[in-house]
Amino acid sequence: MSRPKHIGILTSGGDCPGLNAAIRGVGRTAINDFGMKVTGFRDGFRGLMQDRTIDLDREALSNILTLGGTILGTSRDKPHRMNVGGKTVDMTDAIVETYHRHHLDGLVCLGGGGTQKNAMRLVKAGLNVVTLPKTIDNDVSQTDVTFGFDTALGIATDAIDRLHSTATSHNRIIVVEIMGHRTGWLTLGAGLAGGADVVLIPEIPYDPAVVAEAIRARTQRGKHFSIVAVAEGALSQTDARAMAAAVKRRVKAEEKKDKKEVKAAREEISRLAEVEKHSTLRVTEQLEELTGLESRMTILGHLQRGGTPSAGDRLLASRLGVRAAELVSEGRFGVMVAARGEEAVAVPLEQVAGNRKEVPADHAWVQTARRLAVCFGD
Ligand code: F6P
């Protein structure tokens, strides 16, 4: 392959702090050190499909290091399942066409777990792709950490610190919902750093009675308040069992090609997912009832993804972004740039796509929390 001259770049999935720092890292290195032209595609894979671009010259890349969000815009669109005119259509061919229309030598995709899978699909469709791992959830496999996480961790920790005031002044239980549908890194990290008394995460299904018992024990020790940090996707043991059974039922039905049974299992999964959406409110009410303590719920939501990136995220995003441009210049594609200690390592996308990084039961943070008498409800 001749020296890469023109690259595309896009951001996909939920926005997070550090995306602009990463765009700047890729773009500046590509332009200054390797003499490439850099074209940004707007709104993730949708903009690539529709060929909506922004010229990322030196001017466009200046003054963006500290900006939150993404100057390119983002979406959760998938190349192979895009909503076009109300129908779900495979738009991979249109994306490949845009890539060739611009005579791109490579495409850098910044995103979380879903983006890694979509990037892998584009590699299979013949495109030269390098990815970067971003998400406040920190659940992308093969990398020590994702950019966005450190900032969100700071925001969620600060929120827990502030919630302590009301919890102690009113002798209340405050249940704080922290983002993370599938993994509990943010809740565990912020819970530990903020001194939460209870941490509920998807990887460790909880029993409300166990949580209530831990809170009652605190009351007996003279602590009349409690902070419960709960991940969006944390499930009670009962709900987790029901979900696992429904998924098993769907897999079996799919194997047997029993359409009616697959439909029924899918409906059951959707029903349980709907129940899951309100689980923080439910656990707040359950704890009030079981302990007799007044309980309140706070949902941090998108506050955790907003605003200026932390210094740690700026450093990480810049470091990985620069490495992505170097890999493109070396003609190394089909890889994600992973953070491994101080190194930025190229990992084959096959090892990343479809593999979520969950909190291991014996992770140092879990062990530390248990030593510090944090209740996980198990
Ligand atoms: O993936 C990041 C994340 O913030 C998750 O923590 C959260 O579950 C999800 O995105 C929310 O997505 P949206 O902003 O599309 O509602």
Side-chain angles (χ1 to χ4, degrees), residues 76 135-137 179-181 232 302 305:
R76 292 200 181 273
T135 166
I136 65 163
D137 293 353
M179 274 188 167
H181 250 126
E232 260 178 322
H302 293 88
R305 291 210 320 233

Side-chain angles (χ1 to χ4, degrees), residues 36-360:
M36 296 180 205
K37 174 178 161 59
V38 183
T39 297
F41 290 91
R42 295 183 189 271
D43 305 333
F45 294 107
R46 180 163 291 268
L48 183 58
M49 181 272 281
Q50 295 171 332
D51 199 357
R52 288 188 287 113
T53 62
I54 164 172
D55 186 17
L56 292 180
D57 55 12
R58 283 197 178 90
E59 177 62 25
L61 292 167
S62 94
N63 265 327
I64 64 169
L65 173 64
T66 61
L67 279 186
T70 158
I71 57 162
L72 296 176
T74 187
S75 70
R76 292 200 181 273
D77 286 300
K78 304 178 177 89
H80 69 301
R81 286 178 60 80
M82 229 179 253
N83 186 321
V84 182
K87 284 193 188 142
T88 304
V89 190
D90 185 346
M91 298 308 287
T92 308
D93 288 348
I95 283 175
V96 172
E97 253 178 69
T98 310
Y99 180 96
H100 290 304
R101 191 177 310 120
H102 287 275
H103 303 289
L104 294 181
D105 298 305
L107 177 71
V108 182
C109 300
L110 282 58
T115 303
Q116 308 303 326
K117 282 201 256 179
N118 291 323
M120 186 68 231
R121 291 189 180 102
L122 296 186
V123 170
K124 286 189 178 148
L127 305 193
N128 292 334
V129 182
V130 171
T131 67
L132 288 174
K134 72 87 217 177
T135 166
I136 65 163
D137 293 353
N138 193 32
D139 60 356
V140 176
S141 134
Q142 301 296 330
T143 184
D144 291 352
V145 67
T146 56
F147 54 86
F149 177 65
D150 185 64
T151 310
L153 184 60
I155 296 169
T157 303
D158 182 54
I160 294 178
D161 290 349
R162 287 171 192 279
L163 289 167
H164 266 91
S165 309
T166 304
T168 52
S169 304
H170 285 262
N171 291 335
R172 282 178 180 164
I173 296 174
I174 298 239
V175 179
V176 52
E177 184 186 284
I178 294 173
M179 274 188 167
H181 250 126
R182 303 280 166 236
T183 58
W185 292 106
L186 195 52
T187 307
L188 174 59
L192 197 46
D197 308 294
V198 178
V199 167
L200 305 179
I201 60 175
E203 293 89 340
I204 307 177
Y206 63 89
D207 178 348
V210 172
V211 178
E213 186 46 44
I215 292 174
R216 274 197 298 267
R218 278 176 55 75
T219 311
Q220 276 159 16
R221 290 198 303 273
K223 300 272 190 187
H224 297 285
F225 74 94
S226 286
I227 300 278
V228 179
V230 49
E232 260 178 322
L235 287 179
S236 69
Q237 291 171 353
T238 314
D239 290 344
R241 268 195 300 270
M243 185 57 103
V247 170
K248 205 168 157 189
R249 183 178 166 197
R250 191 202 62 205
V251 172
K252 259 192 177 169
E254 279 169 351
E255 276 166 16
K256 285 188 189 160
K257 296 195 169 54
D258 182 341
K259 280 189 185 162
K260 212 169 143 195
E261 179 64 3
V262 170
K263 190 167 174 257
R266 286 215 170 116
E267 278 168 8
E268 175 67 355
I269 291 169
S270 305
R271 190 188 65 75
L272 291 166
E274 207 45 48
V275 171
E276 205 181 289
K277 275 189 195 158
H278 308 287
S279 60
T280 306
L281 178 60
R282 195 149 42 99
V283 78
T284 308
E285 289 170 351
Q286 281 169 332
L287 292 179
E288 178 161 291
E289 202 181 304
L290 292 168
T291 63
L293 288 170
E294 204 177 22
S295 304
R296 293 284 191 277
M297 172 180 74
T298 298
I299 297 180
L300 299 185
H302 293 88
L303 277 177
Q304 296 158 102
R305 291 210 320 233
T308 189
S310 66
D313 272 337
R314 293 179 207 178
L315 282 169
L316 178 65
S318 300
R319 196 153 74 76
L320 300 188
V322 165
R323 186 74 191 117
E326 288 170 356
L327 289 169
V328 170
S329 81
E330 292 161 16
R332 290 177 64 188
F333 297 108
V335 293
M336 180 187 83
V337 188
R340 301 264 176 89
E342 284 310 306
E343 302 283 305
V345 177
V347 180
L349 267 173
E350 296 93 13
Q351 291 176 25
V352 182
N355 295 327
R356 191 182 299 124
K357 184 181 76 181
E358 295 179 350
V359 177

